[in-house]
Amino acid sequence: MPGAFLLDLNDPSKVIARTDEPIMIPTEQYELSGFFGNVVFTNGHIVDGDTVTIYYGASDEFVCGARFSIQEIFGALGV
């Protein structure tokens, strides 16, 4: 399941922090059933202030969007 991680700005091969738990899990029927059911996978994102909209595939059949607070993600990273 997709989690979050923070990479070093100057050396992105270094992971500074990562979440212990996923920030996205399949819960809706269209995410749970389908060609590849019980799967969500990220495709891209847009940042607007403190909000990041993450576009994701659900069950390899749908493209969806989920909104998160960047500060809440940083909190989950312990930063």
Side-chain angles (χ1 to χ4, degrees):
M1 306 295 166
F5 57 93
L6 182 62
L7 303 177
D8 184 272
L9 181 62
N10 297 314
D11 183 358
S13 69
K14 293 181 183 178
V15 177
I16 296 171
R18 58 185 258 185
T19 57
D20 292 328
E21 300 293 325
I23 61 171
M24 294 178 65
I25 58 172
T27 58
E28 301 297 328
Q29 186 59 37
Y30 58 85
E31 298 167 336
L32 298 171
S33 64
F35 189 71
F36 286 108
N38 204 33
V39 175
V40 293
F41 52 94
T42 60
N43 293 317
H45 66 278
I46 296 175
V47 175
D48 182 17
D50 180 54
T51 301
V52 59
T53 302
I54 298 176
Y55 295 95
Y56 69 96
S59 299
D60 208 29
E61 291 189 12
F62 302 98
V63 176
C64 309
R67 289 190 178 97
F68 296 90
S69 160
I70 295 172
Q71 289 304 312
E72 286 180 15
I73 293 173
F74 281 155
L77 289 166
V79 215

